[in-house]
Amino acid sequence: MSTVHLDQYSKPRVLFMKVAVLCIFLMKAVSVINVVLGNIKETFPDTDPALISAIGTVPVVFMFIMSLLSGKITQKFDKKKVLIAALVIFIVAGVGNFFLCSSIYQILFMRGLLGVGAGLSAPLTGAIIADLFDGKERTQMLGFANAVGSIITSGLQYVAGVLAVSNWKYAFFTYGLFILVLIIELLALPSLPPVEKQSPKEGVRVRATSGEKMQYALVFLFCFFYLMIQMLYNMKQAMYIMGNGLGDSALVGSAMSVQTLVAFLLGLAFAPLTKALGRFTLPLCCLITSACFAVLLLANSSAMVMVAGIVSGLQMGLVTPTLQMKALSICPPGGNTTVATSMVTCGLFGGQIVATPLELFLRSFGIVDIPGLFRFGLVACLILCVFAVIWNFVLDKRFHGESSC
């Protein structure tokens, strides 16, 4: 249940709150400066390529750590104050990289600090939505957050690319746009104190049962394995398309643009779609991801590549809000929603971190080419689909008694 009664605010103020909540999701845009990795490599030609790649992976490691800690932190501090602190860290680290980039280690340090801010805020989008909204409006806002995050992150990457034309260091100024987000959060969000500091409501349970804790563990593990597998597609799709003569970088870019557009549109329609699909939503996400691998494996033309982009956009638009709904459905009525959503973000970040080691591990079993990785991903997603069906229709009744995803 929501912990803030919005009926005490005017409609314009509630609308302003919604804008503020949607803006939080933009902090996942840690990768906007990936467009200048080539420039950084040219600036530091003697640097180990692994350190250049670490510019993209170091923030994710810290995002994982801070997401894990965010539930504990919001048990002691107001969610709004935690978010403001995360934004300040994010802006200082992002813009500050312009001034601290004379060595690869300075860049990596600031990227790690950026991950601290992003990781601290990552579970707060879903948690604050849950604290402010109920029912259909909550589901709608989760979908909107994913939609807005997808489309604007792509826009920020374009901005970073434009700024980098004259000097690659200017790309870091893209993070300066989050000063506006900081102002919006300061003005729009109400105070969201920890559960322990709120007036206790009679009959409202705060602590999770052992069954609900087991469900949280399942959420984490599912998110971990799902993204670990899905990242095989993200990392290899461009190489597969170009390596098999299906198209050039322009086609890859077009497919990714279609992917983003479809994810945006699906995010807008998330509430009515999940209402219609009910418990089948999560298994469907796994089927769609499996289809991403299948379509590219069968692709023999540029048209099929675009179809793969559409299918990939479907899973992008569905997966994150579906998993957040799943976690929030487990949370006790008076529980800490950040703990629930942190299970999702920690699992997703963890899966992203181990995706490359997974590829190396699979090589020891003879899976050395991209088609082999895609076939593995296809089968693995089908296995996850079967597990999602068992989870939603059998385990939920045993551990929690209900399921909404």
Side-chain angles (χ1 to χ4, degrees):
M1 65 173 67
S2 62
T3 58
V4 176
H5 299 291
L6 293 183
D7 51 7
Q8 63 183 303
Y9 299 101
S10 64
K11 288 185 178 180
R13 176 65 190 279
V14 173
L15 180 60
F16 196 22
M17 285 184 197
K18 289 182 177 181
V19 172
V21 171
L22 296 181
C23 286
I24 303 171
F25 207 72
L26 302 183
M27 290 178 69
K28 72 173 188 176
V30 295
S31 62
V32 294
I33 62 101
N34 284 2
V35 295
V36 298
L37 289 182
N39 303 84
I40 296 174
K41 175 61 179 173
E42 291 176 0
T43 304
F44 306 103
D46 298 326
T47 300
D48 188 325
L51 288 177
I52 301 296
S53 298
I55 292 173
T57 56
V58 163
V60 181
V61 173
F62 282 91
M63 289 167 75
F64 171 80
I65 295 169
M66 296 311 298
S67 289
L68 196 62
L69 296 175
S70 63
K72 290 292 184 181
I73 293 171
T74 54
Q75 285 178 350
K76 302 296 181 183
F77 299 99
D78 187 301
K79 287 188 181 73
K80 179 178 179 179
K81 292 179 180 178
V82 174
L83 175 62
I84 298 304
L87 267 165
V88 170
I89 294 170
F90 189 83
I91 295 167
V92 169
V95 178
N97 229 156
F98 173 80
F99 304 98
L100 289 174
C101 57
S102 59
S103 76
I104 192 68
Y105 296 104
Q106 286 183 347
I107 295 174
L108 289 174
F109 173 78
M110 297 302 283
R111 295 294 290 169
L113 192 59
L114 186 84
V116 170
L120 198 55
S121 71
L124 291 177
T125 306
I128 292 176
I129 287 174
D131 287 348
L132 295 177
F133 307 102
D134 277 321
K136 180 182 177 181
E137 197 169 18
R138 174 188 292 184
T139 306
Q140 187 180 59
M141 286 296 294
L142 287 171
F144 284 177
N146 194 57
V148 170
S150 299
I151 204 76
I152 295 186
T153 298
S154 297
L156 290 174
Q157 288 178 325
Y158 175 77
V159 170
V162 171
L163 290 174
V165 169
S166 56
N167 188 324
W168 65 266
K169 298 177 183 179
Y170 292 158
F172 293 116
F173 285 133
T174 306
Y175 295 109
L177 296 172
F178 284 87
I179 295 173
L180 177 60
V181 176
L182 176 62
I183 294 171
I184 291 173
E185 306 304 333
L186 283 168
L187 295 177
L189 282 185
S191 176
L192 297 165
V195 173
E196 287 85 349
K197 295 184 179 180
Q198 296 178 24
S199 300
K201 297 178 181 179
E202 188 175 351
V204 176
R205 185 166 54 85
V206 174
R207 301 293 180 183
T209 63
S210 58
E212 287 163 347
K213 290 177 181 178
M214 179 68 73
Q215 286 275 59
Y216 279 153
L218 290 177
V219 168
F220 172 83
L221 290 173
F222 185 92
C223 293
F224 178 86
F225 285 110
Y226 174 83
L227 202 72
M228 180 179 67
I229 297 163
Q230 199 269 334
M231 281 297 293
L232 294 176
Y233 180 87
N234 287 350
M235 294 188 300
K236 300 299 181 181
Q237 59 174 322
M239 286 185 279
Y240 184 81
I241 291 167
M242 298 175 69
N244 285 273
L246 297 172
D248 55 15
S249 58
L251 179 64
V252 173
S254 297
M256 289 183 175
S257 296
V258 168
Q259 173 181 297
T260 302
L261 178 61
V262 172
F264 172 74
L265 295 175
L266 201 65
L268 297 181
F270 181 73
L273 190 61
T274 51
K275 182 179 180 181
L277 293 172
R279 297 183 181 189
F280 291 99
T281 308
L282 188 58
L284 181 62
C285 290
C286 300
L287 276 179
I288 293 173
T289 307
S290 185
C292 290
F293 292 106
V295 171
L296 267 192
L297 283 170
L298 296 173
N300 55 12
S301 67
S302 58
M304 287 290 283
V305 172
M306 297 305 289
V307 171
I310 293 172
V311 176
S312 182
L314 292 175
Q315 63 87 16
M316 275 182 62
L318 273 177
V319 169
T320 300
T322 298
L323 291 170
Q324 287 179 325
M325 280 181 58
K326 184 73 178 176
L328 289 168
S329 72
I330 299 166
C331 186
N336 186 348
T337 52
T338 310
V339 172
T341 53
S342 68
M343 294 298 103
V344 176
T345 55
C346 283
L348 294 178
F349 294 144
Q352 187 174 347
I353 291 168
V354 301
T356 299
L358 171 66
E359 182 184 348
L360 298 175
F361 175 74
L362 291 175
R363 287 180 186 175
S364 64
F365 291 90
I367 302 176
V368 296
D369 58 0
I370 297 177
L373 291 173
F374 280 8
R375 286 190 287 270
F376 170 84
L378 190 158
V379 173
C381 283
L382 289 177
I383 293 172
L384 279 180
C385 178
V386 173
F387 174 76
V389 171
I390 296 171
W391 188 6
N392 277 356
F393 290 90
V394 179
L395 297 181
D396 268 343
K397 293 179 180 179
R398 174 177 295 183
F399 291 129
H400 190 53
E402 61 183 40
S403 175
S404 58
C405 305

